[in-house]
Amino acid sequence: MCTSQAEWVTHSPEETKALAARLAARLCVGDVLTLEGDLGAGKTTFSQGLARGLGIADPIDSPTFTLIKEYHEGRIPLYHMDAYRLEGEPEELGWDEYFEGAGICLVEWASRIEHWLPEGRIAILIRRLDENSRHIQVRVPPEFGERLLKGLSVT
Ligand code: ADP
Ligand code: MG
């Protein structure tokens, strides 16, 4: 797939959240974001910023034990999904209903449900550089580049 991409280095959890919140302001119904990164990279931190940017006041934590958590009080519904503990056939969980639903999907451990993911997703990769620094890469389909990436900055 052809993509546009942008990358940043953040120097604190707050900067990562601020970047995510700025991205959130540009999201539309139907957007599917995937979040990849090692344990402690900052996936949950990024998710918290994204939720804040959507106007969700509820604290966001990892949906690992529930697979999917829904948040409805923001500008657009947020479906926070985590495929880490996935067992059995993915279709039993009705992923498609979420991917085609009325909200934004934020998927952790997306590689486990790779072939269920729609085309045209927003791929976020977080890499730890040192204790307080993270490299954050966002890849989007080229037709989303202007809407999602143009002028997007950490602060
Ligand atoms: P994950 O969900 O990927 O396992 P978390 O978001 O739970 O990661 O944890 C990231 C940890 O790294 C938190 O303790 C956070 O405070 C810390 N941290 C330090 N610097 C940053 C940064 N620049 N961006 C995000 N998190 C950071
Ligand atoms: Mg986490």
Side-chain angles (χ1 to χ4, degrees):
M1 187 173 60
C2 190
T3 55
S4 304
Q5 69 145 59
E7 51 201 355
W8 303 268
V9 174
T10 65
H11 301 283
S12 67
E14 191 47 46
E15 268 190 23
T16 295
K17 288 184 197 175
L19 177 66
R22 284 167 178 272
L23 178 63
R26 298 163 174 236
L27 295 175
C28 299
V29 168
D31 281 339
V32 175
L33 299 91
T34 61
L35 204 43
E36 301 275 352
D38 294 338
L39 193 68
K43 301 182 294 298
T44 297
T45 302
F46 190 97
S47 300
Q48 289 166 347
L50 195 96
R52 188 176 76 193
L54 289 172
I56 295 166
D58 264 13
I60 288 255
D61 54 17
S62 173
T64 294
F65 295 99
T66 51
L67 294 170
I68 300 171
K69 278 192 185 173
E70 300 187 25
Y71 298 85
H72 289 278
E73 75 267 37
R75 180 174 68 83
I76 305 175
L78 175 67
Y79 310 130
H80 190 194
M81 306 146 107
D82 188 326
Y84 182 67
R85 286 169 63 86
L86 194 62
E87 290 163 30
E89 284 304 302
E91 65 252 60
E92 287 166 21
L93 285 158
W95 299 100
D96 280 350
E97 284 171 38
Y98 285 95
F99 294 141
E100 289 157 19
I104 290 164
C105 294
L106 179 61
V107 191
E108 301 199 29
W109 291 93
S111 55
R112 303 212 171 171
I113 53 167
E114 182 68 40
H115 80 277
W116 287 97
L117 291 169
E119 292 283 319
R121 58 198 185 250
I122 300 155
I124 300 153
L125 186 64
I126 308 179
R127 192 162 49 87
R128 185 184 190 278
L129 297 178
D130 61 34
E131 190 174 352
N132 292 310
S133 302
R134 301 292 186 271
H135 182 264
I136 300 177
Q137 183 193 57
V138 180
R139 294 160 55 97
V140 305
E143 65 271 26
F144 292 179
E146 176 137 356
R147 169 170 67 97
L148 295 173
L149 299 180
K150 194 176 175 192
L152 183 64
S153 63
V154 171
T155 51

